[in-house]
Amino acid sequence: MIIPACEIPKVEGWLGQQAEPVIALSAQGINYTHEQINNADVIVTDLPAAQQLAGKINQAPIPALLLVQVLRVTEGMSIAQSLLIESLAYSTLQSGCDYQNWLAGRSEPPKRITDSKGEPILLERRNDIVYAKLNRPEFHNALTVELRDALLEVLTLLEVDTSIIRLEMCGLGQCFSIGGALKEFGLAADPAAAHSIRCKTNPAYLFARNSHRIHCHLHGACIGSGIELPAFSCHLTANTKTFFQLPELRFGLMPGAGGCISIARRIGRHRTALLALSGKKINTKKALEWGLIDSIVD
């Protein structure tokens, strides 16, 4: 729903009762109450932008609703609890018609990507610093099962070896990562099994627990999990030509690699919802302005 910000009820908890995303149309130069800001999922400043966003929501109303509901309830919640909520919502969408229709419309059935050579992540240790390079440039460092498992090994090493003071991570090739490998979507036996797997293998838990010792440097495309995971890092840099995008709604899904938590804790839930609901790319300048990254380093 699109509603002028001045007309948003000031009642605490009103937003949680809304069964659709609330787009607040804000006028320049007007101060709104804390309750009014809290009772909005997205804040925009002109009607055409609000209408365009509403159109995106109408194309995938259920994924859009679950997205904002997760952002609403996890605000202020612990990261571990928030990741659990995000995974449960993601699994719900995996059984939904939007995602199932997208799966059915693909030309090929899902399959594991296994035809790569060399280690998925190149590691080098120099004194007390470990350098990790995502090494699947031929797949734009998509987060395949193979790369995910390798990432878990690296993060586990960081957690157990307290002599490592910092992990420096980047990606080889044209970009840091285009996110989840779409060819592998649909491999899980059912949504409940997929949730169980995520609880055991989602790198977000280790990223978050060890964030104070992780620096990620991004370049090129950072899509989906390609920004969701590094956003947990305490220090996040990017070069000037980097762009960021959360396109999951077009597949009938929502960010599911921790992005509802990591990104929201960097830029707030309103901007996270805007990024995910619109599916639009933002550049490095905008990312720095919002606080999604900490600095621009070429």
Side-chain angles (χ1 to χ4, degrees), residues 14-116:
W14 175 85
L15 182 63
Q17 302 171 30
Q18 306 313 303
E20 60 182 313
V22 176
I23 304 172
L25 187 57
S26 171
Q28 297 285 356
I30 297 180
N31 293 322
Y32 300 101
T33 67
H34 176 74
E35 291 80 7
Q36 286 173 317
I37 296 300
N38 275 353
N39 280 336
D41 291 306
V42 185
I43 301 172
V44 296
T45 56
D46 63 272
L47 183 57
Q51 292 172 332
Q52 185 179 43
L53 190 60
K56 291 283 188 180
I57 292 170
N58 290 335
Q59 292 173 12
I62 296 176
L65 174 61
L66 264 68
L67 165 71
V68 297
Q69 286 178 329
V70 168
L71 291 172
R72 293 169 186 172
V73 302
T74 58
E75 190 175 34
M77 190 181 289
S78 74
I79 289 179
Q81 291 175 319
S82 299
L83 288 171
L84 178 62
I85 296 296
E86 182 192 76
S87 180
L88 288 169
Y90 191 88
S91 289
T92 299
L93 293 176
Q94 285 181 303
S95 62
C97 61
D98 295 296
Y99 177 64
Q100 292 300 320
N101 287 340
W102 176 78
L103 283 179
R106 295 191 299 181
S107 58
E108 296 180 357
K111 64 178 181 179
R112 286 277 298 271
I113 298 175
T114 58
D115 52 345
S116 300

Side-chain angles (χ1 to χ4, degrees), residues 2 59 68-69 78 99 172 184 209 215-216 265 285:
I2 301 174
Q59 292 173 12
V68 297
Q69 286 178 329
S78 74
Y99 177 64
L172 296 177
E184 294 189 342
R209 285 208 300 267
H215 166 222
C216 288
R265 277 159 173 70
K285 182 179 179 181

Side-chain angles (χ1 to χ4, degrees), residues 146-157:
E146 177 200 41
L147 187 56
R148 179 204 67 195
D149 290 346
L151 186 57
L152 282 170
E153 290 183 7
V154 172
L155 293 169
T156 300
L157 171 65

Side-chain angles (χ1 to χ4, degrees), residues 112-141:
R112 286 277 298 271
I113 298 175
T114 58
D115 52 345
S116 300
K117 296 181 180 179
E119 294 298 322
I121 299 179
L122 302 180
L123 286 180
E124 179 185 0
R125 180 163 183 167
R126 302 178 200 164
N127 298 320
D128 47 12
I129 300 176
V130 170
Y131 297 85
K133 299 178 181 179
L134 307 185
N135 187 35
R136 287 295 178 259
E138 67 272 29
F139 299 120
H140 304 291
N141 295 320

Side-chain angles (χ1 to χ4, degrees), residues 181-247:
L182 298 184
K183 288 184 178 180
E184 294 189 342
F185 279 36
L187 285 173
D190 57 69
H195 169 67
S196 176
I197 292 170
R198 271 192 303 277
C199 288
K200 301 171 184 175
T201 63
N202 189 351
Y205 290 95
L206 289 174
F207 252 110
R209 285 208 300 267
N210 299 280
S211 63
H212 61 290
R213 298 157 67 201
I214 301 176
H215 166 222
C216 288
H217 180 68
L218 312 179
H219 75 286
C222 296
I223 301 173
S225 57
I227 179 58
E228 294 177 60
L229 291 172
F232 280 110
S233 308
C234 72
H235 190 42
L236 191 57
T237 59
N239 73 14
T240 53
K241 295 183 179 180
T242 309
F243 71 86
F244 310 89
Q245 186 179 24
L246 296 176

Side-chain angles (χ1 to χ4, degrees), residues 218 227 236-239 242-244 266-267 271 275 281-296:
L218 312 179
I227 179 58
L236 191 57
T237 59
N239 73 14
T242 309
F243 71 86
F244 310 89
R266 278 186 166 267
I267 67 175
R271 285 173 170 167
L275 194 58
K281 302 174 183 178
I282 63 168
N283 60 23
T284 315
K285 182 179 179 181
K286 179 63 71 174
L288 181 62
E289 176 189 327
W290 282 4
L292 182 57
I293 61 173
D294 298 309
S295 59
I296 299 174

